[in-house]
Amino acid sequence: MDGIGVNFLSELVGTAMLIILGGGVVAAVSLTKSKGFGAGFLMVTFGWGFAVFAGVTVSYKSGGQLNPAVSLAQAILGNITVGEMFLYWIAQIIGAIIGAVIVWLAYKQHFDEEPDPAAKLGVFSTGPAIRNYAWNLVTEIIGTFVLVFVVIAFTNGKTPAALGAVPVAFLVIAIGVSLGGPTGYAINPARDLGPRIAHAFLPIKGKGSSDWSYAWVPVVGPLIGGALAAGLSYALLPMA
């Protein structure tokens, strides 16, 4: 494959790995009869941090972006073209769908035993603790701004893989424990949209609604946050 093909596959595989482990920890904590049932929000935040570590590690070839908001920032900074950005977005969403399907396969019996449709949806996508679209949007903008701005600061404008998987993982954990309470900190459009699509088409017993009325918040908010972080970087941060 040429460089574009390698980058596409790298982002797809990395995002799938992110969702397998990130969605997997939510399933372990949330679904009836799982051995991790009831382990709590802190377990989820650490699980997502380790999921980011794994995803960034296996997608080093493409820079370990795994997030349309990060790819948007990279396009604004001139590190990738707009065409490459859209290609990365497609790869990230497909990878997220695949990862979500794999989580469902791993926990199929537990999905069948779980009586609460909200618990099932929560494995796939985020939702607000208090539903207020404007304030939920603000929370997602802030969380994603922190993610992208700090990554840019550490890497002098380069991709997350240039920083290394471990610091990015700890940054995601920090965002989760600090800013994750209001919305579940999607901070990544692909992380939410891809699994929500999977939830909609998978034959999940008693799954209920996919909550499409909220789905735009974890897409629009992170994109705004990523763009703001890239813009402010020009004024405040050293660029390589």
Side-chain angles (χ1 to χ4, degrees):
M1 291 188 295
D2 59 17
I4 294 296
V6 169
N7 288 343
F8 183 92
L9 185 59
S10 177
E11 287 293 307
L12 187 154
V13 170
T15 309
M17 184 66 71
L18 169 71
I19 300 302
I20 290 169
L21 297 182
V25 72
V26 179
V29 169
S30 303
L31 297 180
T32 298
K33 296 187 178 180
S34 164
K35 291 189 175 183
F37 181 71
F41 187 73
L42 190 60
M43 178 67 76
V44 171
T45 59
F46 274 89
W48 273 106
F50 295 137
V52 169
F53 168 82
V56 171
T57 298
V58 302
S59 60
Y60 192 88
K61 283 279 190 181
S62 60
Q65 297 181 30
L66 315 182
N67 184 337
V70 173
S71 298
L72 174 60
Q74 291 299 307
I76 291 171
L77 294 172
N79 293 326
I80 61 175
T81 67
V82 172
E84 288 171 331
M85 179 192 75
F86 283 117
L87 195 69
Y88 280 27
W89 286 8
I90 294 169
Q92 291 155 2
I93 292 171
I94 293 173
I97 292 171
I98 292 171
V101 171
I102 292 172
V103 171
W104 174 69
L105 290 171
Y107 281 89
K108 170 65 167 61
Q109 291 180 289
H110 300 276
F111 277 106
D112 289 345
E113 294 285 340
E114 174 58 55
D116 183 4
K120 295 176 183 180
L121 177 60
V123 174
F124 292 88
S125 58
T126 61
I130 301 173
R131 186 171 296 249
N132 181 306
Y133 294 126
W135 286 111
N136 301 152
L137 184 69
V138 168
T139 299
E140 286 295 328
I141 291 171
I142 293 170
T144 312
F145 175 88
V146 172
L147 171 68
V148 177
F149 192 67
V150 173
V151 167
I152 292 172
F154 269 105
T155 62
N156 293 331
K158 300 304 181 183
T159 57
L163 170 60
V166 173
V168 177
F170 278 109
L171 174 59
V172 170
I173 292 171
I175 293 169
V177 298
S178 300
L179 299 170
T183 62
Y185 72 114
I187 61 174
N188 181 340
R191 171 264 174 276
D192 195 275
L193 180 59
R196 198 182 297 269
I197 292 171
H199 177 271
F201 72 71
L202 283 171
I204 303 168
K205 181 180 177 182
K207 65 181 177 180
S209 167
S210 299
D211 195 13
W212 288 107
S213 64
Y214 181 78
W216 66 274
V217 173
V219 172
V220 175
L223 291 176
I224 294 173
L228 291 174
L232 193 59
S233 296
Y234 280 115
L236 297 182
L237 300 178
M239 295 288 118

